[in-house]
Amino acid sequence: MNEIDDDNPYGYAPAIWRLFRGAPNAGVFADGTAGVISAEAGTPAARSVLRLALRIDGDRVAEGRFQAYGCPTTIAVGAWIAGWCAGRTIDELRRLKAADLREALEIPEDRAHCALLGEDALKALLTRFQEQRA
Amino acid sequence: MIYLDYAATTPLDAAVFEAMLPYLAPGGLHGNPASTHGPGFKARAAVERARQQVAALIGAEPGEIIWTSGATESNNLAIKGTLEFRGFPKNGKPVHIVTSKTEHKCVLDTCRHLETLGARVSYLKPDGQGRVTPEAVLAAITPDTALVSLMWVNNEIGAVNDIERLAPSLRERGVMLHVDAAQAAGKLAIDLQAVPVDLLSLSAHKLYGPKGVGALYVRRRPRARLAPQMHGGGHEQGMRSGTLSTHQVVGMGAACQRAAERLDADAAHCSGLRDALWARLRGIPGVLRNGPTGDSAGGERAAPHLLNLSFPGVEGEALRAALPGLAVSSGSACSSATAEPSYVLRALGRDDETANASLRFSFGRPTTMTEIGQAAATVIAQVAWLRALSPLPGSR
Amino acid sequence: MPIYLDHNATTPLDPRVLETMLPYLSGPYGNASSVHRYGRAARDAIEAARVQVAALAGAEASEVTFTSGATESNNLALKGLTEGRVPSCVLYGATEHPAILEAAESLRPHGWQVETIAIDRAGLVDWPAFEAQLARGPVQVAALMLANNETGVIQDCARAARLVHDAGGLFHVDAVQAGGKLAFSFADTGADLMCLSAHKLYGPKGVGALLVRSHVELLTQLHGGGQERGLRGGTENLAAIVGFGAACELAAAEVGQRVARWTELKARLEAGLRALSGITIFGNGSPRLANTVQCGVAGWEGEALLMALDRKGIAVSSGSACAAGTGEPSHVLIGMGWERDIAFSAIRISLGVATTEAEIDRFLAVLAELRAQAVAA
């Protein structure tokens, strides 16, 4: 994790900057951790890939992790979702939309695709969760 | 903040500032250089002294120096003025320009504008070292070619075009040569008595002079002819009108004089820093050096003040944002706002992702070895951090 | 200390303006187009200056484009409005600055019909002739100066704007000499474009502005880099722009007291001139700038008188500095219909914020002395 010791010379929204520089919840779960579901969205060619991993205990998320290759906003979206999911129910996760991400992180119009990437990664993860349950 | 963006702009040299100050401060040196009275004559004398200083840096005559508001205006005047003087577009004759895809944006924009008026423009691709060779230029010449416009030093990677060899060949063929020397002046020795360039653009703020002033060298023998692009008052031999900004012109003169005096020392200082930074950063797995390596044994020339590196596996914007204490550039400052990957890097064979993950470090007189050490440590740490964050295979 | 009475040619930099510029001259500010930290600070400073310039001119900040000076602004206005269009007619006042005159004339080879707007002996637009001219055919743009650089005569630009707009044309105002010497508003004049220069109002040389209303379609004349919203390429001249802004702010705050002072000094100057014989004050009955007097001095050539005054340490001019030394009489006075010999005899005295009564008196005394010597010789 980075030390947050500098102001924000490129003028990112404060929440984005904080989450990018701190990158809380970055990383993966140790191999063999029980109840982990992961999924990803995006492509290297589009220069943004977001992978989410959630440790799910019953109907609730116990813990979230993310990995990201992309711009600071993409990294911030990953960090935010991984943190937000912890302690929430699967139903709550289903209701999270790109618009909520944009509002929470003050994501500008020209970076709306980063919020969509977050929504897509979560959706993919929930689909996989559904498949496993079924 | 460690500033390693001297190719974008340099701070004003303290001695240059001292030279300018009397023309800004009270004391009667504020006259209009065009006025025919005492205060005007004093200003005029300062302007002419500065003209000599600029001429001396490039081996020109003072009468061959036209003041402008900067390299952008110089490039516009050179290219549009040459074509217009030949009657383009009114006379309807076909006109052809040869330039390269890696020119500064203002040259490319000017050429694109002339295309809309009917000019034909060949945008040459650089070779694998980022150079446009004399052979490639000569092969593109047609009977309609009115002008070749080529930069001396590429502003992104520091590749040096062989203007010394190109210029005589174009002279033989009767084709005008314009050279954008904004990144070359003060970095490489330029002697226009020996090299038959017709038009050459200079910028003051790239060599520790003030912003807002530049010059266009216009050869007298044989005379390069231009149609003025800014009318009114007939200043600068009718080629560029407008009240001269005495303090800025004086600043450019002083900056050029200092650049001439320090040419070898500056080049040695900068190339030493460049090599030291590369020595540290080449240890990063996968790092790629873009452009010439300065290996003179291979006949390859490199500008001393630039180092351009690609860091595959990290995203470019995140990389720059992860280095908030480091002022570096992702290419030409004038196009940083556009997210397009650099054409120069593409021409070197870098794919879009790699080109995007590139940084241009550029060094100047104030840069210290301590700063280089700090910059290297930060870059190494942040590239490692971003790669650790990435889900892509092989990036960890 | 020499006496400087040529403030319409250029003004000394206000020391307070220099103070605002210093951090941007010697400080570590980067290229204003670079995205990193210094670049952001530089951009903020440019935007603050834009607001200051707009405030002086009664314009919106978004209407301000920075240029290298009034010559570039005037060229950008006329060429940017005509390039790529079907040629029609371009009109400019017979007493315009060479930057307008020559920029307009350069359009002729491109098929444009270029005509002068008749100016009368008092320096004012010949309104019936102007109306008739506008009625004759489509006009793309007409250009007039708000205040003349030589005579100081102030033109009714709002009236001209209405007429030009009624004829379907665009109206450009050269407000270089009016800036800081006259309260005016871009919005109220009804002009579509207007230019200003910093070094005429105690700001630095090498920077000016073109004000452009949002409805005006203008093509860039300096290609490259996309600065100034694509209208004007080139790295921004940061320190000069900051100084221009500061000079405009000071001018806006002080224009009232400056004009009041000049009005008194000018009355003293003109009374002194009238006491000498053979003096003609041009534009005498017309509204004029408070700091400007142009007069003919019978029996003298303006250039010779200027040099004689210069030897006595007094700087005046015989007309525009941009036409100095050409050996031609003032095209302004010729444009007003004055005869060549009287036009040849003209000198221009232009007062500044630091001009004193003692300087005026000294000038009058030297002028009287030179005339006496000339008569004796």
Side-chain angles (χ1 to χ4, degrees):
Chain A
M1 193 189 284
N2 273 289
E3 204 183 318
I4 303 168
D5 62 347
D6 33 48
D7 59 345
N8 170 5
Y10 299 91
Y12 291 98
I16 293 174
W17 183 246
R18 214 170 41 244
L19 288 165
F20 166 65
R21 293 298 283 163
N25 309 306
V28 294
F29 291 102
D31 284 347
T33 307
V36 172
I37 309 263
S38 67
E40 78 182 35
T43 64
R47 290 203 293 275
S48 53
V49 178
L50 177 59
R51 177 190 289 258
L52 288 175
L54 301 178
R55 185 163 65 79
I56 298 172
D57 187 3
D59 249 4
R60 251 172 222 286
V61 176
E63 207 182 340
R65 295 276 166 86
F66 85 100
Q67 289 174 289
Y69 163 77
C71 69
T73 307
T74 298
I75 292 170
V77 163
W80 189 88
I81 295 176
W84 180 86
C85 286
R88 294 189 196 266
T89 64
I90 298 300
D91 272 352
E92 283 177 284
L93 264 54
R94 279 188 219 287
R95 288 197 291 273
L96 185 73
K97 294 287 175 262
D100 305 317
L101 290 165
R102 285 191 60 186
E103 200 184 318
L105 293 172
E106 295 176 65
I107 297 173
E109 182 60 42
D110 64 340
R111 294 305 163 109
H113 57 271
C114 300
L116 289 170
L117 186 75
E119 186 186 302
D120 287 351
L122 189 57
K123 231 188 239 168
L125 189 142
L126 291 172
T127 304
R128 191 161 292 175
F129 175 74
Q130 208 67 32
E131 287 164 4
Q132 285 197 4
R133 281 278 158 109
Chain B
M1 167 73 80
I2 299 173
Y3 185 84
L4 292 179
D5 203 10
Y6 289 89
T9 194
T10 53
L12 194 64
D13 183 281
V16 172
F17 175 63
E18 289 302 317
M20 292 167 67
L21 202 51
Y23 297 90
L24 291 165
L29 290 177
H30 67 271
N32 186 325
S35 290
T36 50
H37 48 50
F41 297 142
K42 280 185 191 164
R44 185 85 210 170
V47 165
E48 296 313 321
R49 200 160 50 240
R51 211 187 292 278
Q52 287 173 9
Q53 292 168 319
V54 173
L57 176 66
I58 57 172
E61 297 292 325
E64 296 177 315
I65 303 297
I66 301 296
W67 300 113
T68 67
S69 63
T72 293
E73 187 188 335
S74 297
N75 287 334
N76 271 258
L77 172 57
I79 298 169
K80 291 191 277 192
T82 297
L83 262 62
E84 193 183 322
F85 185 81
R86 289 175 55 124
F88 175 83
K90 284 172 308 192
N91 64 10
K93 286 189 190 156
V95 156
H96 177 231
I97 301 173
V98 176
T99 186
S100 82
K101 296 196 173 197
T102 59
E103 293 302 302
H104 190 271
K105 195 160 186 322
C106 65
V107 168
L108 297 176
D109 280 2
T110 301
C111 287
R112 280 189 208 108
H113 166 71
L114 293 169
E115 279 184 293
T116 68
L117 301 179
R120 207 164 64 75
V121 182
S122 300
Y123 299 95
L124 302 181
K125 276 175 88 161
D127 67 11
Q129 272 90 44
R131 295 171 306 195
V132 177
T133 61
E135 289 71 25
V137 173
L138 296 176
I141 300 290
T142 73
D144 296 330
T145 306
L147 181 71
V148 171
S149 179
L150 198 64
M151 66 206 323
W152 205 312
V153 169
N154 181 272
N155 54 318
E156 288 186 49
I157 61 171
V160 181
N161 285 324
D162 194 348
I163 301 296
E164 290 93 338
R165 203 152 61 77
L166 173 64
S169 309
L170 290 175
R171 169 63 52 79
E172 271 171 35
R173 290 164 175 77
V175 175
M176 294 262 285
L177 172 61
H178 165 245
V179 174
D180 176 356
Q183 293 290 350
K187 312 292 192 303
L188 314 174
I190 296 178
D191 181 4
L192 297 182
Q193 276 181 359
V195 184
V197 167
D198 297 291
L199 302 158
L200 181 124
S201 301
L202 297 170
S203 167
H205 79 100
K206 307 281 191 197
L207 38 74
Y208 308 93
K211 294 185 184 66
V213 61
L216 181 66
Y217 160 86
V218 183
R219 184 173 289 279
R220 279 234 168 125
R221 269 188 307 236
R223 189 170 169 202
R225 306 294 298 271
L226 293 177
Q229 299 299 303
M230 214 137 97
H231 295 87
H235 309 73
E236 297 298 290
Q237 306 168 44
M239 279 188 264
R240 199 276 186 178
S241 292
T243 295
L244 291 172
S245 178
T246 320
H247 69 278
Q248 283 173 310
V249 158
V250 164
M252 181 162 186
C256 285
Q257 183 176 2
R258 232 172 129 60
E261 289 162 2
R262 298 188 45 124
L263 193 65
D264 294 339
D266 281 350
H269 174 66
C270 285
S271 57
L273 297 165
R274 178 195 63 194
D275 295 346
L277 184 60
W278 173 232
R280 290 284 304 273
L281 296 184
R282 68 187 311 168
I284 295 177
V287 66
L288 297 166
R289 182 166 177 181
N290 299 312
T293 56
D295 173 15
S296 51
E300 200 185 21
R301 292 168 68 196
H305 63 303
L306 290 170
L307 179 67
N308 193 310
L309 303 177
S310 294
F311 304 91
V314 301
E315 193 278 329
E317 184 189 338
L319 177 58
R320 285 184 290 280
L323 301 167
L326 196 57
V328 293
S329 174
S330 52
S332 162
C334 295
S335 58
S336 290
T338 60
E340 290 275 306
S342 149
Y343 186 84
V344 184
L345 300 184
R346 301 262 306 276
L348 298 180
R350 306 293 183 228
D351 60 29
D352 276 8
E353 282 169 71
T354 309
N356 169 268
S358 303
L359 296 176
R360 178 189 73 179
F361 303 88
S362 50
F363 317 98
R365 280 179 206 154
T367 310
T368 63
M369 213 43 107
T370 310
E371 287 180 313
I372 293 296
Q374 290 168 345
T378 313
V379 171
I380 291 167
Q382 295 303 315
V383 168
W385 177 69
L386 286 169
R387 285 179 173 173
L389 211 55
S390 169
L392 301 187
S395 60
R396 303 188 70 180
Chain C
M1 191 71 182
I3 296 174
Y4 187 76
L5 296 174
D6 197 13
H7 291 86
N8 284 11
T10 192
T11 58
L13 191 65
D14 187 318
R16 295 170 295 177
V17 172
L18 177 56
E19 282 304 311
T20 68
M21 292 169 64
L22 288 177
Y24 297 93
L25 275 173
S26 52
Y29 286 89
N31 183 331
S33 293
S34 289
V35 189
H36 47 69
R37 183 193 321 239
Y38 295 144
R40 283 171 57 80
R43 277 206 307 285
D44 290 348
I46 288 172
E47 294 316 310
R50 211 185 293 281
V51 170
Q52 291 169 312
V53 172
L56 175 71
E60 301 291 330
S62 61
E63 295 171 332
V64 177
T65 295
F66 289 114
T67 67
S68 67
T71 296
E72 185 186 332
S73 295
N74 278 325
N75 274 264
L76 171 57
L78 293 191
K79 295 175 189 170
L81 287 177
T82 51
E83 187 184 317
R85 292 175 193 266
V86 178
S88 59
C89 190
V90 171
L91 307 177
Y92 68 91
T95 56
E96 291 303 298
H97 188 273
I100 282 287
L101 186 157
E102 291 179 25
E105 293 296 333
S106 79
L107 302 173
R108 240 183 242 285
H110 300 277
W112 291 83
Q113 191 182 334
V114 180
E115 294 177 9
T116 55
I117 299 164
I119 303 293
D120 67 19
R121 220 170 155 84
L124 298 168
V125 170
D126 179 340
W127 296 106
F130 188 34
E131 286 178 38
Q133 192 173 29
L134 288 168
R136 275 203 295 275
V139 168
Q140 170 63 10
V141 55
L144 283 171
M145 60 212 309
L146 184 48
N148 186 269
N149 54 315
E150 295 192 17
T151 60
V153 169
I154 298 164
Q155 216 61 258
D156 186 350
C157 282
R159 179 173 174 184
R162 283 193 298 275
L163 293 174
V164 175
H165 288 158
D166 287 348
L170 293 165
F171 186 51
H172 170 62
V173 171
D174 176 346
V176 166
Q177 293 293 345
K181 298 175 194 158
L182 183 69
F184 64 89
S185 144
F186 181 47
D188 293 349
T189 58
D192 302 289
L193 306 99
M194 177 179 274
C195 74
L196 290 168
S197 169
H199 78 98
K200 307 287 190 189
L201 43 78
Y202 308 92
K205 295 179 182 65
V207 62
L210 181 64
L211 312 183
V212 186
R213 298 272 293 266
S214 61
H215 64 87
V216 176
E217 285 176 40
L218 198 64
L219 288 188
T220 179
Q221 299 299 303
L222 215 48
H223 299 271
Q227 288 90 349
E228 294 298 290
R229 298 177 304 279
L231 250 187
R232 202 273 181 182
T235 297
E236 293 89 345
N237 187 358
L238 180 60
I241 287 172
V242 167
F244 187 16
C248 285
E249 186 170 312
L250 289 168
E254 296 174 4
V255 65
Q257 74 200 60
R258 290 180 189 178
V259 167
R261 240 179 79 75
W262 287 330
T263 304
E264 278 179 31
L265 290 170
K266 190 173 80 162
R268 190 181 186 90
L269 172 62
E270 293 192 348
L273 288 170
R274 286 200 184 87
L276 303 170
S277 60
I279 299 281
T280 309
I281 295 176
F282 300 109
N284 191 22
S286 306
R288 275 185 298 144
L289 292 176
N291 82 318
T292 308
V293 177
Q294 190 180 32
C295 59
V297 184
W300 277 91
E301 263 197 29
E303 284 287 339
L305 183 52
L306 185 161
M307 282 187 268
L309 286 165
D310 188 40
R311 279 194 292 275
K312 300 276 186 183
I314 298 174
V316 300
S317 86
S318 60
S320 164
C322 294
T326 58
E328 281 297 304
S330 154
H331 81 280
V332 170
L333 297 174
I334 299 294
M336 288 161 68
W338 291 91
E339 297 70 21
R340 281 178 73 86
D341 58 341
I342 191 163
F344 260 125
S345 77
I347 59 168
R348 176 188 70 185
I349 304 105
S350 46
L351 315 179
V353 291
T355 304
T356 61
E357 280 186 10
E359 288 178 330
I360 300 287
D361 293 347
R362 168 79 185 142
F363 164 75
L364 288 166
V366 170
L367 184 63
E369 190 186 309
L370 289 171
R371 279 173 57 87
Q373 283 169 5
V375 171

